[in-house]
mmCIF file of all heavy atoms in Angstrom:
data_model
loop_
_atom_site.group_PDB
_atom_site.id
_atom_site.type_symbol
_atom_site.label_atom_id
_atom_site.label_comp_id
_atom_site.label_asym_id
_atom_site.label_seq_id
_atom_site.Cartn_x
_atom_site.Cartn_y
_atom_site.Cartn_z
ATOM 1 N N LEU M 160 -50.627 30.471 -53.252
ATOM 2 C CA LEU M 160 -51.632 31.524 -53.387
ATOM 3 C C LEU M 160 -52.442 31.338 -54.659
ATOM 4 O O LEU M 160 -52.014 30.683 -55.599
ATOM 5 C CB LEU M 160 -50.952 32.894 -53.413
ATOM 6 C CG LEU M 160 -50.137 33.294 -52.180
ATOM 7 C CD1 LEU M 160 -49.536 34.688 -52.378
ATOM 8 C CD2 LEU M 160 -50.989 33.271 -50.921
ATOM 9 N N ARG M 161 -53.603 31.934 -54.685
ATOM 10 C CA ARG M 161 -54.449 31.830 -55.876
ATOM 11 C C ARG M 161 -53.894 32.622 -57.053
ATOM 12 O O ARG M 161 -54.164 32.301 -58.208
ATOM 13 C CB ARG M 161 -55.866 32.305 -55.543
ATOM 14 C CG ARG M 161 -56.588 31.375 -54.561
ATOM 15 C CD ARG M 161 -58.036 31.754 -54.386
ATOM 16 N NE ARG M 161 -58.717 30.842 -53.468
ATOM 17 C CZ ARG M 161 -60.004 30.906 -53.152
ATOM 18 N NH1 ARG M 161 -60.761 31.856 -53.693
ATOM 19 N NH2 ARG M 161 -60.543 30.041 -52.315
ATOM 20 N N GLU M 162 -53.162 33.692 -56.763
ATOM 21 C CA GLU M 162 -52.529 34.494 -57.814
ATOM 22 C C GLU M 162 -51.028 34.631 -57.505
ATOM 23 O O GLU M 162 -50.567 35.710 -57.140
ATOM 24 C CB GLU M 162 -53.159 35.878 -57.892
ATOM 25 C CG GLU M 162 -54.634 35.889 -58.249
ATOM 26 C CD GLU M 162 -55.176 37.304 -58.304
ATOM 27 O OE1 GLU M 162 -55.052 37.945 -59.371
ATOM 28 O OE2 GLU M 162 -55.690 37.782 -57.277
ATOM 29 N N PRO M 163 -50.271 33.559 -57.643
ATOM 30 C CA PRO M 163 -48.862 33.585 -57.214
ATOM 31 C C PRO M 163 -47.998 34.611 -57.937
ATOM 32 O O PRO M 163 -46.979 35.040 -57.415
ATOM 33 C CB PRO M 163 -48.387 32.162 -57.494
ATOM 34 C CG PRO M 163 -49.337 31.627 -58.501
ATOM 35 C CD PRO M 163 -50.655 32.255 -58.203
ATOM 36 N N GLY M 164 -48.370 35.021 -59.129
ATOM 37 C CA GLY M 164 -47.536 35.937 -59.896
ATOM 38 C C GLY M 164 -47.989 37.378 -59.871
ATOM 39 O O GLY M 164 -47.447 38.207 -60.605
ATOM 40 N N ARG M 165 -48.961 37.700 -59.038
ATOM 41 C CA ARG M 165 -49.496 39.070 -59.039
ATOM 42 C C ARG M 165 -48.441 40.090 -58.604
ATOM 43 O O ARG M 165 -48.328 41.173 -59.176
ATOM 44 C CB ARG M 165 -50.718 39.167 -58.128
ATOM 45 C CG ARG M 165 -51.343 40.549 -58.114
ATOM 46 C CD ARG M 165 -52.550 40.606 -57.197
ATOM 47 N NE ARG M 165 -53.042 41.970 -57.089
ATOM 48 C CZ ARG M 165 -53.978 42.364 -56.230
ATOM 49 N NH1 ARG M 165 -54.531 41.481 -55.408
ATOM 50 N NH2 ARG M 165 -54.363 43.622 -56.186
ATOM 51 N N PHE M 166 -47.675 39.768 -57.566
ATOM 52 C CA PHE M 166 -46.585 40.626 -57.107
ATOM 53 C C PHE M 166 -45.282 39.821 -57.117
ATOM 54 O O PHE M 166 -45.302 38.590 -57.096
ATOM 55 C CB PHE M 166 -46.849 41.151 -55.695
ATOM 56 C CG PHE M 166 -48.050 42.049 -55.578
ATOM 57 C CD1 PHE M 166 -49.236 41.569 -55.048
ATOM 58 C CD2 PHE M 166 -47.997 43.366 -56.010
ATOM 59 C CE1 PHE M 166 -50.347 42.388 -54.943
ATOM 60 C CE2 PHE M 166 -49.101 44.191 -55.913
ATOM 61 C CZ PHE M 166 -50.285 43.706 -55.376
ATOM 62 N N LEU M 167 -44.174 40.531 -57.123
ATOM 63 C CA LEU M 167 -42.862 39.899 -57.047
ATOM 64 C C LEU M 167 -42.280 40.133 -55.658
ATOM 65 O O LEU M 167 -42.503 41.178 -55.049
ATOM 66 C CB LEU M 167 -41.913 40.494 -58.087
ATOM 67 C CG LEU M 167 -42.380 40.456 -59.539
ATOM 68 C CD1 LEU M 167 -41.331 41.123 -60.423
ATOM 69 C CD2 LEU M 167 -42.659 39.043 -59.995
ATOM 70 N N HIS M 168 -41.518 39.142 -55.151
ATOM 71 C CA HIS M 168 -40.815 39.291 -53.878
ATOM 72 C C HIS M 168 -39.329 39.221 -54.191
ATOM 73 O O HIS M 168 -38.803 38.173 -54.548
ATOM 74 C CB HIS M 168 -41.236 38.182 -52.908
ATOM 75 C CG HIS M 168 -40.752 38.415 -51.516
ATOM 76 N ND1 HIS M 168 -40.867 37.459 -50.526
ATOM 77 C CD2 HIS M 168 -40.142 39.487 -50.925
ATOM 78 C CE1 HIS M 168 -40.368 37.940 -49.393
ATOM 79 N NE2 HIS M 168 -39.923 39.159 -49.612
ATOM 80 N N ILE M 169 -38.660 40.350 -54.067
ATOM 81 C CA ILE M 169 -37.274 40.503 -54.504
ATOM 82 C C ILE M 169 -36.381 40.788 -53.297
ATOM 83 O O ILE M 169 -36.718 41.623 -52.453
ATOM 84 C CB ILE M 169 -37.140 41.654 -55.521
ATOM 85 C CG1 ILE M 169 -38.139 41.467 -56.675
ATOM 86 C CG2 ILE M 169 -35.711 41.743 -56.041
ATOM 87 C CD1 ILE M 169 -37.967 40.193 -57.474
ATOM 88 N N TYR M 170 -35.225 40.109 -53.233
ATOM 89 C CA TYR M 170 -34.313 40.209 -52.093
ATOM 90 C C TYR M 170 -33.088 41.052 -52.438
ATOM 91 O O TYR M 170 -32.588 41.018 -53.563
ATOM 92 C CB TYR M 170 -33.849 38.823 -51.655
ATOM 93 C CG TYR M 170 -34.938 37.976 -51.037
ATOM 94 C CD1 TYR M 170 -35.880 37.324 -51.827
ATOM 95 C CD2 TYR M 170 -35.025 37.821 -49.654
ATOM 96 C CE1 TYR M 170 -36.886 36.551 -51.259
ATOM 97 C CE2 TYR M 170 -36.019 37.041 -49.075
ATOM 98 C CZ TYR M 170 -36.949 36.417 -49.888
ATOM 99 O OH TYR M 170 -37.937 35.658 -49.326
ATOM 100 N N LEU M 171 -32.608 41.771 -51.427
ATOM 101 C CA LEU M 171 -31.366 42.522 -51.553
ATOM 102 C C LEU M 171 -30.462 42.150 -50.380
ATOM 103 O O LEU M 171 -30.747 42.472 -49.225
ATOM 104 C CB LEU M 171 -31.643 44.028 -51.544
ATOM 105 C CG LEU M 171 -30.427 44.953 -51.673
ATOM 106 C CD1 LEU M 171 -29.648 44.646 -52.951
ATOM 107 C CD2 LEU M 171 -30.866 46.414 -51.648
ATOM 108 N N PHE M 172 -29.376 41.431 -50.686
ATOM 109 C CA PHE M 172 -28.432 40.986 -49.664
ATOM 110 C C PHE M 172 -27.198 41.893 -49.698
ATOM 111 O O PHE M 172 -26.463 41.918 -50.683
ATOM 112 C CB PHE M 172 -28.015 39.537 -49.895
ATOM 113 C CG PHE M 172 -29.133 38.551 -49.735
ATOM 114 C CD1 PHE M 172 -29.876 38.138 -50.833
ATOM 115 C CD2 PHE M 172 -29.456 38.045 -48.487
ATOM 116 C CE1 PHE M 172 -30.909 37.229 -50.688
ATOM 117 C CE2 PHE M 172 -30.494 37.140 -48.332
ATOM 118 C CZ PHE M 172 -31.220 36.727 -49.435
ATOM 119 N N LYS M 173 -26.998 42.644 -48.641
ATOM 120 C CA LYS M 173 -25.825 43.489 -48.501
ATOM 121 C C LYS M 173 -25.667 43.816 -47.019
ATOM 122 O O LYS M 173 -26.505 43.433 -46.197
ATOM 123 C CB LYS M 173 -25.959 44.771 -49.326
ATOM 124 C CG LYS M 173 -27.146 45.642 -48.946
ATOM 125 C CD LYS M 173 -27.231 46.898 -49.786
ATOM 126 C CE LYS M 173 -26.101 47.853 -49.483
ATOM 127 N NZ LYS M 173 -26.251 49.141 -50.193
ATOM 128 N N LYS M 174 -24.611 44.508 -46.667
ATOM 129 C CA LYS M 174 -24.364 44.841 -45.274
ATOM 130 C C LYS M 174 -25.186 46.056 -44.887
ATOM 131 O O LYS M 174 -24.860 47.188 -45.233
ATOM 132 C CB LYS M 174 -22.876 45.095 -45.040
ATOM 133 C CG LYS M 174 -22.517 45.295 -43.578
ATOM 134 C CD LYS M 174 -21.026 45.461 -43.380
ATOM 135 C CE LYS M 174 -20.687 45.623 -41.904
ATOM 136 N NZ LYS M 174 -19.217 45.789 -41.701
ATOM 137 N N PHE M 175 -26.267 45.821 -44.141
ATOM 138 C CA PHE M 175 -27.101 46.894 -43.622
ATOM 139 C C PHE M 175 -26.764 47.141 -42.154
ATOM 140 O O PHE M 175 -26.229 46.268 -41.476
ATOM 141 C CB PHE M 175 -28.577 46.531 -43.752
ATOM 142 C CG PHE M 175 -29.085 46.490 -45.166
ATOM 143 C CD1 PHE M 175 -29.366 45.278 -45.788
ATOM 144 C CD2 PHE M 175 -29.303 47.659 -45.869
ATOM 145 C CE1 PHE M 175 -29.836 45.236 -47.088
ATOM 146 C CE2 PHE M 175 -29.771 47.627 -47.180
ATOM 147 C CZ PHE M 175 -30.039 46.415 -47.782
ATOM 148 N N PRO M 176 -27.097 48.326 -41.641
ATOM 149 C CA PRO M 176 -26.818 48.607 -40.227
ATOM 150 C C PRO M 176 -27.487 47.642 -39.260
ATOM 151 O O PRO M 176 -26.918 47.306 -38.221
ATOM 152 C CB PRO M 176 -27.356 50.030 -40.042
ATOM 153 C CG PRO M 176 -27.261 50.647 -41.394
ATOM 154 C CD PRO M 176 -27.563 49.519 -42.350
ATOM 155 N N THR M 177 -28.691 47.176 -39.599
ATOM 156 C CA THR M 177 -29.441 46.333 -38.661
ATOM 157 C C THR M 177 -29.802 44.977 -39.233
ATOM 158 O O THR M 177 -29.681 43.960 -38.567
ATOM 159 C CB THR M 177 -30.727 47.050 -38.228
ATOM 160 O OG1 THR M 177 -30.386 48.247 -37.529
ATOM 161 C CG2 THR M 177 -31.570 46.173 -37.300
ATOM 162 N N TYR M 178 -30.242 44.940 -40.465
ATOM 163 C CA TYR M 178 -30.809 43.728 -41.037
ATOM 164 C C TYR M 178 -29.759 42.848 -41.693
ATOM 165 O O TYR M 178 -28.763 43.337 -42.232
ATOM 166 C CB TYR M 178 -31.868 44.073 -42.087
ATOM 167 C CG TYR M 178 -33.002 44.893 -41.561
ATOM 168 C CD1 TYR M 178 -33.022 46.272 -41.737
ATOM 169 C CD2 TYR M 178 -34.068 44.304 -40.885
ATOM 170 C CE1 TYR M 178 -34.071 47.035 -41.256
ATOM 171 C CE2 TYR M 178 -35.113 45.062 -40.406
ATOM 172 C CZ TYR M 178 -35.104 46.428 -40.597
ATOM 173 O OH TYR M 178 -36.132 47.188 -40.122
ATOM 174 N N ASP M 179 -30.030 41.549 -41.710
ATOM 175 C CA ASP M 179 -29.206 40.623 -42.477
ATOM 176 C C ASP M 179 -29.545 40.713 -43.961
ATOM 177 O O ASP M 179 -28.710 40.437 -44.814
ATOM 178 C CB ASP M 179 -29.411 39.189 -41.979
ATOM 179 C CG ASP M 179 -28.956 39.030 -40.539
ATOM 180 O OD1 ASP M 179 -27.845 39.479 -40.227
ATOM 181 O OD2 ASP M 179 -29.713 38.477 -39.726
ATOM 182 N N TYR M 180 -30.762 41.063 -44.266
ATOM 183 C CA TYR M 180 -31.174 41.346 -45.643
ATOM 184 C C TYR M 180 -32.444 42.185 -45.606
ATOM 185 O O TYR M 180 -33.126 42.287 -44.583
ATOM 186 C CB TYR M 180 -31.412 40.056 -46.453
ATOM 187 C CG TYR M 180 -32.663 39.303 -46.074
ATOM 188 C CD1 TYR M 180 -33.902 39.653 -46.602
ATOM 189 C CD2 TYR M 180 -32.611 38.224 -45.189
ATOM 190 C CE1 TYR M 180 -35.051 38.961 -46.251
ATOM 191 C CE2 TYR M 180 -33.750 37.535 -44.835
ATOM 192 C CZ TYR M 180 -34.970 37.904 -45.372
ATOM 193 O OH TYR M 180 -36.107 37.231 -45.018
ATOM 194 N N VAL M 181 -32.759 42.788 -46.743
ATOM 195 C CA VAL M 181 -34.028 43.492 -46.932
ATOM 196 C C VAL M 181 -34.667 42.936 -48.190
ATOM 197 O O VAL M 181 -33.982 42.640 -49.172
ATOM 198 C CB VAL M 181 -33.814 45.014 -47.066
ATOM 199 C CG1 VAL M 181 -35.123 45.717 -47.416
ATOM 200 C CG2 VAL M 181 -33.244 45.589 -45.775
ATOM 201 N N SER M 182 -35.977 42.756 -48.171
ATOM 202 C CA SER M 182 -36.682 42.294 -49.366
ATOM 203 C C SER M 182 -37.891 43.186 -49.622
ATOM 204 O O SER M 182 -38.324 43.938 -48.751
ATOM 205 C CB SER M 182 -37.105 40.833 -49.230
ATOM 206 O OG SER M 182 -38.074 40.663 -48.203
ATOM 207 N N PHE M 183 -38.417 43.068 -50.848
ATOM 208 C CA PHE M 183 -39.455 43.988 -51.307
ATOM 209 C C PHE M 183 -40.566 43.232 -52.027
ATOM 210 O O PHE M 183 -40.304 42.322 -52.816
ATOM 211 C CB PHE M 183 -38.859 45.006 -52.287
ATOM 212 C CG PHE M 183 -37.604 45.657 -51.799
ATOM 213 C CD1 PHE M 183 -36.363 45.081 -52.072
ATOM 214 C CD2 PHE M 183 -37.650 46.820 -51.068
ATOM 215 C CE1 PHE M 183 -35.189 45.666 -51.624
ATOM 216 C CE2 PHE M 183 -36.479 47.416 -50.608
ATOM 217 C CZ PHE M 183 -35.259 46.840 -50.888
ATOM 218 N N PHE M 184 -41.793 43.615 -51.761
ATOM 219 C CA PHE M 184 -42.930 43.181 -52.561
ATOM 220 C C PHE M 184 -43.219 44.301 -53.551
ATOM 221 O O PHE M 184 -43.451 45.450 -53.155
ATOM 222 C CB PHE M 184 -44.152 42.918 -51.684
ATOM 223 C CG PHE M 184 -43.987 41.749 -50.757
ATOM 224 C CD1 PHE M 184 -43.542 41.925 -49.468
ATOM 225 C CD2 PHE M 184 -44.269 40.461 -51.199
ATOM 226 C CE1 PHE M 184 -43.384 40.847 -48.608
ATOM 227 C CE2 PHE M 184 -44.112 39.371 -50.354
ATOM 228 C CZ PHE M 184 -43.661 39.571 -49.057
ATOM 229 N N VAL M 185 -43.184 43.975 -54.836
ATOM 230 C CA VAL M 185 -43.315 45.017 -55.858
ATOM 231 C C VAL M 185 -44.337 44.618 -56.913
ATOM 232 O O VAL M 185 -44.591 43.434 -57.167
ATOM 233 C CB VAL M 185 -41.960 45.312 -56.550
ATOM 234 C CG1 VAL M 185 -40.932 45.783 -55.545
ATOM 235 C CG2 VAL M 185 -41.443 44.092 -57.302
#
């Protein structure tokens, strides 16, 4: 991307009811 550091992509690995993981753009 032209601005690779503008947002962060952060992962959360734990036992969720449906997902194998959830991640966030912050």
Side-chain angles (χ1 to χ4, degrees):
L160 299 180
R161 293 188 179 182
E162 298 180 86
R165 182 180 174 189
F166 296 103
L167 304 178
H168 191 189
I169 307 299
Y170 291 79
L171 180 57
F172 294 94
K173 60 180 291 186
K174 187 177 182 180
F175 291 107
T177 297
Y178 301 98
D179 297 312
Y180 72 84
V181 174
S182 66
F183 311 89
F184 293 94
V185 300

